């Protein structure tokens, strides 16, 4: 994982807008987040830092990687995607690089794509990255406070490799979407629907800011998170009691608490680090996985469950036998 150096606390934000540590902590569980530094951190660059660490820990070099899957909603450029920018940052071969646009579910969608390539035998070693710079899309003002206090910047990565060990690895992934909710959590501009992608008055009108219907997101998240986890467990003939570690997308501590309660999991089986990083969208699961691994919470043969819900709406789960 890699997170930018700059720590931004709730009190720092309260100096810029009408909010408070108390409001943010109570509603989201977030205490601080990281903000990128222009000229130092980029989505592809942070992804590369995380990838270097993942490769080193896996005992691999960039030359060993057959394919890159890069999940982000905040690509360095509108096009091309950040996957190719990562490809040129480290000494990879001229391998394929696929950007995945599935927002908060991006890492699990990416994992699922990589899993299929490995299971069909097309590739042996795949790098899956989630990386986001979000601090510059929100307005640090009263107008932008409902979203700007929630999100942060950072990156995480994993190396997936084919294995012959029976029962090991990614057991199953489940992917869902319902585009009827697309406009409940979205950023319309600069999109291709209008003849003029930008106009000067868009900034003034706040049209370049993302929109979130917080209540809709909350209601659907607490419904679909447990549902998609149970769906994956059922396919594998497993139950909630078999989960050794749940790594949910770090959307909001209250959403995580609701899932934990619904699935009847004790604290030690649920990873939550949103207080340190806020919601880092596609990066949140690999960052949480990395920290859990570093803290000795991931053991050989453990059943790791990852799950996400977010913009789209899209939601997904993955079961991994470590
Ligand atoms: N600080 C202080 N006050 C604020 C802030 C802020 N940062 N943001 C909004 N408010 C105000 C509102 O203006 C409103 O004021 P009003 O009553 O005078 O109109 C008041 O607080 C309550 O606003 P609500 O939107 O009703 O607040 P709510 O209690 O619903 O909490 C929240 C908002 C935290 C977004 C909640 O709806 C929620 O948890 N939703 C889930 C969304 C979420 O977690 N998204 C994560 C990202 S998406 C994803 O990853 C899936």
């Amino acid at each position: 994982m890699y997170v930018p150096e700059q720590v931004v606390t709730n009190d720092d934000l309260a100096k810029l807008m009408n909010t408070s540590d108390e409001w943010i902590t109570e509603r989201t569980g977030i205490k601080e987040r990281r903000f990128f530094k222009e000229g130092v951190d980029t989505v592809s660059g942070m992804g590369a830092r995380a990838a270097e660490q993942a490769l080193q820990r896996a005992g691999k070099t960039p030359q060993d990687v057959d394919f890159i899957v890069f999940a982000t909603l905040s690509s360095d450029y509108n096009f091309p995607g950040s996957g190719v920018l990562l490809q040129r940052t480290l000494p990879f071969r001229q391998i394929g690089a696929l950007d995945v646009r599935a927002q908060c579910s991006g890492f699990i969608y990416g994992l699922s794509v990589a899993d299929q390539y490995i299971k069909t035998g097309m590739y042996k070693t795949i790098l899956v990255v989630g990386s986001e710079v979000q601090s510059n899309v929100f307005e640090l003002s009263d107008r932008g406070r409902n979203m700007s206090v929630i999100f942060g910047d950072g990156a995480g990565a994993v190396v997936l490799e084919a294995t012959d060990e029976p029962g090991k690895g990614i057991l199953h992934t489940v992917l869902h979407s319902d585009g009827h909710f697309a406009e409940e959590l979205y950023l319309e501009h600069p999109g291709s629907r209008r003849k003029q992608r930008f106009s000067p008055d868009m900034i003034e009108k706040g049209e370049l800011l993302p929109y979130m219907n917080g209540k809709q997101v909350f209601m659907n998240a607490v419904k679909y998170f447990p549902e998609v986890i149970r769906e994956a467990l059922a396919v594998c003939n497993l139950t909630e009691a078999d989960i050794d570690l749940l790594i949910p997308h770090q959307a909001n501590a209250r959403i995580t608490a609701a899932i934990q309660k619904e699935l009847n999991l004790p604290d030690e089986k649920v990873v939550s680090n949103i207080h340190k990083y806020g919601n880092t969208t596609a990066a949140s699961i690999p960052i949480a996985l990395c920290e859990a691994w570093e803290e000795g919470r991931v053991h050989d043969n453990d059943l790791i469950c990852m799950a996400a819900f977010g913009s789209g709406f899209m939601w997904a789960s993955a079961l991994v036998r470590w």
Side-chain angles (χ1 to χ4, degrees):
M1 61 173 277
Y2 172 84
V3 288
E5 225 173 87
Q6 192 193 353
V7 177
V8 177
T9 65
N10 293 346
D11 288 334
D12 292 333
L13 292 180
K15 290 178 194 136
L16 304 169
M17 63 186 85
N18 184 11
T19 192
S20 64
D21 176 44
E22 195 190 355
W23 194 98
I24 300 169
T25 306
E26 189 188 309
R27 301 289 210 294
T28 70
I30 299 163
K31 297 301 278 183
E32 59 189 45
R33 71 288 290 144
R34 303 297 179 100
F35 278 8
F36 90 121
K37 187 170 182 197
E38 190 182 311
V40 175
D41 300 310
T42 60
V43 162
S44 59
M46 296 195 307
R49 300 283 292 273
E52 277 180 317
Q53 189 185 53
L55 285 163
Q56 189 243 326
R57 288 181 178 180
K60 300 281 167 197
T61 71
Q63 292 288 311
D64 297 318
V65 176
D66 298 321
F67 193 63
I68 294 167
V69 181
F70 200 113
T72 186
L73 60 59
S74 50
S75 197
D76 301 47
Y77 300 133
N78 259 312
F79 70 86
S82 289
V84 296
L85 303 183
L86 171 61
Q87 187 278 334
R88 75 177 182 191
T89 305
L90 300 179
F92 294 107
R93 289 172 282 126
Q94 288 178 326
I95 51 175
L98 175 72
D99 273 48
V100 168
R101 289 187 60 165
Q103 299 69 248
C104 298
S105 303
F107 182 75
I108 298 185
Y109 266 71
L111 212 56
S112 182
V113 169
D115 184 38
Q116 308 317 307
Y117 276 128
I118 287 179
K119 284 187 174 141
T120 59
M122 181 151 168
Y123 298 124
K124 196 169 165 284
T125 306
I126 301 183
L127 184 66
V128 184
V129 179
S131 180
E132 306 283 6
V133 166
Q134 307 186 97
S135 54
N136 55 3
V137 77
F138 300 107
E139 203 170 74
L140 302 176
S141 67
D142 287 358
R143 184 169 74 169
R145 69 178 179 174
N146 67 321
M147 290 190 81
S148 57
V149 301
I150 296 178
F151 294 88
D153 305 336
V158 298
V159 180
L160 287 189
E161 193 173 39
T163 176
D164 294 329
E165 267 191 85
K168 280 284 183 93
I170 298 180
L171 305 182
H172 193 60
T173 52
V174 179
L175 311 178
H176 285 292
S177 75
D178 187 342
H180 292 100
F181 294 98
E183 288 82 15
E184 299 294 0
L185 177 54
Y186 83 131
L187 175 55
E188 185 178 0
H189 303 295
S192 58
R193 285 158 64 103
R194 286 209 206 165
K195 219 165 174 55
Q196 201 180 10
R197 291 194 185 194
F198 280 110
S199 59
D201 61 330
M202 277 182 176
I203 297 176
E204 214 166 291
K205 287 186 190 159
E207 289 179 356
L208 294 175
L209 300 177
Y211 167 81
M212 176 176 75
N213 180 340
K215 289 194 172 68
Q216 273 287 354
V217 171
F218 193 92
M219 277 161 27
N220 283 280
V222 298
K223 172 173 183 250
Y224 287 124
F225 258 111
E227 228 177 81
V228 77
I229 291 169
R230 288 185 170 129
E231 194 179 337
L233 288 166
V235 170
C236 299
N237 285 320
L238 295 164
T239 70
E240 290 133 48
D242 294 313
I243 296 175
D244 292 304
L245 198 63
L246 173 67
I247 306 177
H249 160 53
Q250 306 288 304
N252 178 324
R254 287 194 314 171
I255 293 176
T256 298
I259 309 165
Q260 176 174 352
K261 190 160 173 247
E262 173 66 24
L263 298 178
N264 203 14
L265 295 173
D267 285 351
E268 61 271 19
K269 287 192 172 187
V270 182
V271 178
S272 175
N273 64 359
I274 193 167
H275 55 289
K276 288 194 280 184
Y277 306 117
N279 180 331
T280 56
T281 305
S284 90
I285 291 178
I287 289 175
L289 171 63
C290 180
E291 288 202 336
W293 184 85
E294 286 172 350
E295 288 161 11
R297 297 176 72 183
V298 179
H299 314 103
D300 203 28
N301 260 323
D302 274 358
L303 182 69
I304 312 291
C305 177
M306 298 174 230
F309 174 90
S311 165
F313 289 148
M314 301 172 94
W315 59 105
S317 64
L319 285 178
V320 177
R321 182 67 70 187
W322 196 264

